[in-house]
Amino acid sequence: MGKFFLSVILLFLAYLPQTTAQSVNFEGEIHFTTTYTYFPEHLLRYRDQLPRNSDVYIRDNLVCKKGPTGLVNGYQIYIKNLATMTGYNAMQVGETSVAYRLTNQDYQAEENSMVTPVSIEYLDETKQIAGFLCKKALVYMPGSTKPFIVYYTEKIPAEAYVVYKGLKGFPLYFEGNMNGVTFYSEAFAVNPTKQSDAQFLLPKNYKVLSKEEYRNALIKDIPQQ
C-alpha cells in the first residue's frame, strides 16, 4: 500500500480530539469542510479519495468527531470522554463496520506521538468565521518550509479539538501542505445546540474488536496501491 495513500486516508485521524482530561464548557456542533487547492502530478489519482467534510460534537466532557474518510465509501467515528480518558475509534469501510475501545494508555500514546510545533506566532489579524471573531496564528512544524495558517477562537475550549499541539484556542480554519498537497479546512457552521446522549454512543451496527482485530478486519477492504 502506498505511503501517500495511507497518509491521506488517515487525514481524518490527524485532527482528532487529543487532550488531557479537562472540563469543556461549550455544548454544540461544529461542521468543517476541506478544500484541496493543489496536487502534484504523481498524486492526482488520489484527488477524489480524500475526505472533504467532518463534524465535531461537544457536550460537557464528551467529544465526538464524525466524517467520511474518502476511502471505499468509508466513514469514521471517534468518541472521547475527557474526564475518564476512554472512548471508541470506529470505522466503516465497504461492508465492514468495526470499532475498538480506547483506553487511557491509548490517549497518552496519541498525545505523546503528536508532533510539537517548532514555534507558534500569534498575530493581531482577525477574521470572522461561522459567527466567531477568530485570531490568526502561524504554526511552524518540523520539516515544513512554510507555516500553517490558523484562525482560532478562545470561545470554544482548545482541548476539545487539538490540531496543533500548544495552540491556545479552538481552530476554525487551518491551511497548509501535507505530502505536497495543499489544502484548507474551515468551519462553515458552529451551532451551540443541545446534544443528545446518542451523539456520543457507538452505533449498534459496529462490532467491537481488539485493536489488532480491528486493523485486520479493515485491511481486506482497503485497496492496495
Side-chain angles (χ1 to χ4, degrees):
M1 186 180 301
K3 183 182 295 185
F4 174 77
F5 190 68
L6 275 173
S7 66
V8 296
I9 65 174
L10 295 178
L11 181 62
F12 180 92
L13 288 171
Y15 306 123
L16 295 175
Q18 318 247 358
T19 66
T20 56
Q22 300 182 36
S23 176
V24 177
N25 59 11
F26 171 86
E27 181 172 357
E29 53 195 68
I30 301 100
H31 304 283
F32 286 89
T33 185
T34 299
T35 301
Y36 302 93
T37 56
Y38 175 77
F39 282 82
E41 185 175 352
H42 68 287
L43 298 179
L44 283 174
R45 68 182 186 275
Y46 299 115
R47 180 171 51 190
D48 296 331
Q49 300 175 5
L50 297 182
R52 284 175 165 75
N53 58 77
S54 62
D55 307 302
V56 179
Y57 302 88
I58 304 170
R59 191 191 74 185
D60 299 324
N61 289 308
L62 300 173
V63 179
C64 178
K65 185 176 181 189
K66 303 178 180 181
T69 64
L71 169 66
V72 198
N73 297 317
Y75 191 83
Q76 181 137 23
I77 302 173
Y78 188 94
I79 301 168
K80 183 173 185 179
N81 185 315
L82 303 182
T84 63
M85 299 294 282
T86 57
Y88 289 96
N89 189 10
M91 185 179 287
Q92 173 268 315
V93 177
E95 300 295 322
T96 303
S97 297
V98 291
Y100 69 90
R101 290 185 177 87
L102 292 161
T103 66
N104 188 285
Q105 289 79 10
D106 291 322
Y107 289 121
Q108 188 61 53
E110 287 176 356
E111 188 171 343
N112 292 340
S113 69
M114 286 190 74
V115 177
T116 301
V118 173
S119 65
I120 300 177
E121 181 181 356
Y122 294 97
L123 306 178
D124 292 331
E125 297 177 46
T126 59
K127 180 179 181 180
Q128 284 283 346
I129 300 175
F132 287 77
L133 183 63
C134 297
K135 299 177 182 180
K136 185 177 182 179
L138 301 179
V139 180
Y140 295 85
M141 300 298 289
S144 296
T145 57
K146 294 183 179 180
F148 287 81
I149 298 172
V150 183
Y151 284 90
Y152 65 95
T153 176
E154 295 173 334
K155 301 295 185 182
I156 303 174
E159 63 266 23
Y161 189 44
V162 179
V163 177
Y164 303 106
K165 197 172 184 177
L167 184 70
K168 61 181 182 181
F170 187 104
L172 292 180
Y173 176 97
F174 46 94
E175 70 171 81
N177 182 294
M178 180 179 178
N179 296 302
V181 177
T182 59
F183 69 96
Y184 63 90
S185 291
E186 182 171 8
F188 62 87
V190 178
N191 303 321
T193 54
K194 293 290 184 182
Q195 300 297 305
S196 67
D197 291 344
Q199 199 67 263
F200 306 96
L201 297 176
L202 185 69
K204 293 181 179 179
N205 62 307
Y206 281 79
K207 183 178 181 181
V208 179
L209 306 172
S210 69
K211 187 184 296 187
E212 183 177 356
E213 290 171 334
Y214 169 88
R215 291 170 176 166
N216 290 337
L218 294 174
I219 286 175
K220 63 183 178 63
D221 287 319
I222 296 178
Q224 303 297 304
Q225 300 292 319

